[in-house]
Amino acid sequence: MAILESHSGTGPPSRELVRSIDWRGAFWVASGVPALVLFSIGGIAGTSGNVAFLVWMASMCMGFIQSFTYAEIAGLFPNKSGGASVYGASAWVRYSKLIAPLSVWCNWLAWTPVLSLGCSIAAAYILNALGPIPGADSPDVAAWISANANSIAADSPRIAEWRAANAGKTSSDAVAALLAQDGVAALTPAFRTWTLAHGTIGPVSFSLNWTFFIGVALMLLTFAIQHRGILGTANVQKYIALLVIVPMLIVGIAPIVTGQINWDNYSPLVPLKQAYVAETGAWDVGGWTLVLGGMFIAAWSTYAFETAICYTSEFKDPKTDTFRAIFYSGLLCLVLYTLVPFTFQGVLGLNGMLEPSIVDGSGVAAAMGKMVGGSGFITNIMVMLMILALMLSIMTAMAGSSRTLYQGSVDGWLPRYLSRVNHHGAPTAAMWSDLVFNVGLLAIAAADATSFFFILAVSNCCYIIFNFLNLNSGWIHRIDNGQIPRPFKAPTFLLALGVLFAFVNAVFLGAGAKVWNPVALWAGMIAAALIIPVFLFRHYVQDGGKFPPNMLQDLNLTQADLGKRKAGVLPYLTLVAGLAVVLAANWFFQLPG
């Protein structure tokens, strides 16, 4: 593979990213996005109930429409990598030095946790294969209960505690539940409960257990693949993607063809009365809050195919490859994000979707095996494909998020060391940063489901902030940089619809984040604000208050041109309005009592 080198006149040549792929390569790299549906398909059902399949459809349609704005602004920067956040940041830099890097930072904080979350689920599948935890209704547990039926005394304090937590239940119910619980614990392999260290950090827990160590090994494997550069990554992902996408299509279509769909599972079309409780509620404030919580977390998956334009500076022909990459990636996601949630709900029903193994992701592969009428062998195949799907998502995330860090460094937003690449043209400094950061997140994600969804919620808070800034960067670029040729120009009505969706997403953020954790919104804002000291260090300490000369070279601008603001006060008013929408939605929408 050829290495691009640039000379500044003194010193050794510096390596840069390599133009080695076309839109098909980016499509295969982004093909890990559809597998993200498996991260939260149970969680969204647990908040939205029978409305869940419509949540996925609506969210995917919004993401597809928004992608036209991203495709336009990407075409302005044929020499930049890192994705939509980098292109959008160049629109905001005239109006605030702090808002521009916020876009890049929030996009990275949204993408990079896919590594830790995906590795934690994949590790759980591997552990289940090595030493499965028996189900409470399994024959082995039933035999244990029969042999130990008298192990819980009638006056045991455990019975009183259980009944206090389960109002309306009898002592017999308590004994049966506790015996099943004890049976599962007794038959669980010892290594499944081993941990080197554990504890709590604020609202979350952490654990250095086997899930953590297997997850670290999977991350290192991903790093080794990506170390070979984008062309090598695309070639590997093409074959993995075919092994994953085809079964997902089969799972989405087979139950419809074979008549497994129970149409009663889509009604009544109302939200839940309470999250994760299979009891229908109403379209009141509490019900809407739960549905908006579903729309909030679905955006993390359905909008994510915008990563297909992270590789603009690695395209052989960015003028044509950029639009094709995001458009065809969007079409693939549109199909899978519609079919898979629809068939899952139609086959499993609300009770099935709320099973703990579906909510935490560990039982999704078994459910997929049953949907295609498979036996234990088919289920095992699905487990292997599920692990491959998760690896595909992890590789997609590392490829995209590392290039966001790389370009953020090249453009002067993030520390200089992140712009280093290896002899294959891979941004290894950024990849190592991704890896180290996610080892810490993995320790949290491996602890329990609450900690897992806390990371997901905080990550998505940052993603919605990025999304808001970038959808509005489309019209700012039209005003400030209207003279720049655009290989693709989005229809104006789609650009305007994207702006409307930016504020709709602000409602999702204000109303929906609390569904996943009471402090998720505020934790997300704190995480986003961490860019301030990082940027101040780079801009004022490393660069002396000036941006690198190449930062705006695609717009043919100079440092002096940054003071020309054709959009006037409109960008500032947009920011104020967006913040007001978030706070108003957070105040108005409340969880069911």
Side-chain angles (χ1 to χ4, degrees):
M1 184 185 300
I3 303 298
L4 295 183
E5 294 181 342
S6 62
H7 296 266
S8 59
T10 60
S14 60
R15 295 188 177 99
E16 299 173 352
L17 299 183
V18 182
R19 292 197 182 279
S20 57
I21 61 171
D22 59 13
W23 70 269
R24 297 176 186 85
F27 173 87
W28 291 120
V29 176
S31 62
V33 171
L36 295 179
V37 68
L38 306 175
F39 281 49
S40 51
I41 192 167
I44 289 178
T47 62
S48 305
N50 288 335
V51 188
F53 77 102
L54 290 179
V55 166
W56 285 107
M57 291 180 185
S59 184
M60 186 61 238
C61 289
M62 287 181 63
F64 191 70
I65 291 172
Q66 291 167 180
S67 70
F68 286 89
T69 298
Y70 297 155
E72 176 176 323
I73 63 176
L76 296 172
F77 303 95
N79 298 316
K80 291 188 185 296
S81 187
S85 62
V86 173
Y87 317 137
S90 296
W92 285 98
V93 69
R94 295 174 184 258
Y95 301 92
S96 173
K97 285 186 176 182
L98 291 180
I99 295 299
L102 181 65
S103 176
V104 177
W105 180 257
C106 284
N107 186 225
W108 175 69
L109 284 177
W111 260 109
T112 192
V114 176
L115 275 70
S116 54
L117 299 180
C119 283
S120 69
I121 298 177
Y125 273 104
I126 293 172
L127 285 171
N128 283 338
L130 295 174
I133 297 176
D137 56 351
S138 67
D140 290 340
V141 173
W144 186 94
I145 292 173
S146 178
N148 296 272
N150 298 321
S151 60
I152 299 178
D155 58 350
S156 171
R158 295 178 65 197
I159 294 178
E161 292 175 5
W162 190 92
R163 292 188 64 187
N166 296 271
K169 300 294 184 178
T170 65
S171 295
S172 298
D173 295 329
V175 170
L178 292 171
L179 282 172
Q181 178 181 312
D182 292 348
V184 170
L187 298 176
T188 296
F191 75 90
R192 294 299 303 271
T193 58
W194 175 85
T195 180
L196 180 64
H198 63 89
T200 59
I201 305 174
V204 297
S205 303
F206 72 89
S207 180
L208 303 184
N209 51 21
W210 277 116
T211 298
F212 170 80
F213 288 107
I214 293 174
V216 170
L218 295 175
M219 281 190 197
L220 291 173
L221 175 62
T222 303
F223 183 95
I225 294 172
Q226 305 245 332
H227 190 269
R228 300 168 56 235
I230 192 63
L231 180 59
T233 299
N235 288 334
V236 171
Q237 290 205 205
K238 175 169 63 176
Y239 298 107
I240 297 178
L242 289 173
L243 288 172
V244 171
I245 292 172
V246 172
M248 286 184 71
L249 283 171
I250 293 173
V251 168
I253 295 172
I256 300 175
V257 175
T258 58
Q260 296 181 62
I261 300 294
N262 182 352
W263 300 100
D264 291 336
N265 289 338
Y266 303 105
S267 62
L269 203 59
V270 294
L272 294 175
K273 186 175 183 180
Q274 185 179 346
Y276 299 102
V277 177
E279 184 178 355
T280 56
W283 288 104
D284 53 15
V285 172
W288 272 108
T289 302
L290 291 177
V291 171
L292 292 174
M295 291 294 294
F296 166 76
I297 217 69
W300 186 80
S301 303
T302 56
Y303 300 174
F305 67 92
E306 46 85 11
T307 190
I309 55 174
C310 275
Y311 318 100
T312 306
S313 66
E314 295 164 276
F315 285 148
K316 295 176 181 177
D317 184 4
K319 288 186 178 180
T320 58
D321 289 335
T322 300
F323 176 74
R324 291 177 180 177
I326 194 170
F327 181 75
Y328 289 112
S329 297
L331 286 181
L332 173 66
C333 289
L334 190 62
V335 171
L336 290 175
Y337 277 113
T338 299
L339 279 176
V340 173
F342 179 81
T343 53
F344 257 80
Q345 185 172 329
V347 174
L348 298 181
L350 186 55
N351 287 317
M353 295 290 285
L354 296 185
E355 283 290 323
S357 62
I358 300 296
V359 173
D360 66 22
S362 63
V364 170
M368 292 170 69
K370 293 178 181 178
M371 288 182 193
V372 295
S375 60
F377 174 75
I378 296 297
T379 298
N380 290 335
I381 294 296
M382 284 296 178
V383 169
M384 293 302 300
L385 292 177
M386 182 69 174
I387 294 173
L388 285 177
L390 293 166
M391 290 299 296
L392 192 63
S393 299
I394 294 163
M395 287 192 286
T396 296
M398 179 173 279
S401 61
S402 62
R403 280 155 180 80
T404 299
L405 290 179
Y406 164 83
Q407 192 65 52
S409 175
V410 169
D411 285 347
W413 312 121
L414 301 174
R416 287 180 181 174
Y417 83 94
L418 292 168
S419 58
R420 298 172 190 163
V421 300
N422 68 3
H423 61 283
H424 291 298
T428 46
M431 289 163 58
W432 274 114
S433 298
D434 258 350
L435 189 71
V436 172
F437 180 74
N438 275 279
V439 166
L441 290 185
L442 180 59
I444 298 174
D448 51 50
T450 299
S451 300
F452 179 97
F453 279 112
F454 177 79
I455 294 175
L456 182 58
V458 171
S459 169
N460 198 49
C461 287
C462 295
Y463 195 45
I464 296 296
I465 294 172
F466 144 76
N467 179 276
F468 181 88
L469 294 173
N470 261 49
L471 289 175
N472 282 289
S473 73
W475 62 265
I476 296 176
H477 271 305
R478 286 267 184 106
I479 294 174
D480 284 334
N481 305 306
Q483 78 284 1
I484 304 297
R486 286 160 166 76
F488 169 76
K489 187 174 184 179
T492 302
F493 82 93
L494 288 180
L495 197 73
L497 199 54
V499 174
L500 175 62
F501 286 167
F503 286 93
V504 174
N505 285 316
V507 174
F508 298 161
L509 175 60
K514 68 176 68 174
V515 173
W516 302 92
N517 192 284
V519 299
L521 175 60
W522 316 116
M525 290 186 172
I526 292 172
L530 292 177
I531 185 56
I532 296 176
V534 174
F535 172 70
L536 293 179
F537 170 77
R538 169 63 195 269
H539 189 63
Y540 292 103
V541 176
Q542 292 190 320
D543 291 347
K546 293 183 179 181
F547 288 107
N550 62 302
M551 195 267 282
L552 293 176
Q553 65 181 357
D554 291 312
L555 296 177
N556 297 315
L557 296 179
T558 65
Q559 296 284 341
D561 293 325
L562 294 178
K564 300 175 182 178
R565 303 181 179 92
K566 296 179 183 178
V569 299
L570 290 179
Y572 303 109
L573 294 177
T574 300
L575 292 174
V576 172
L579 181 60
V581 169
V582 171
L583 296 177
N586 184 260
W587 167 78
F588 180 78
F589 290 99
Q590 300 295 326
L591 291 169

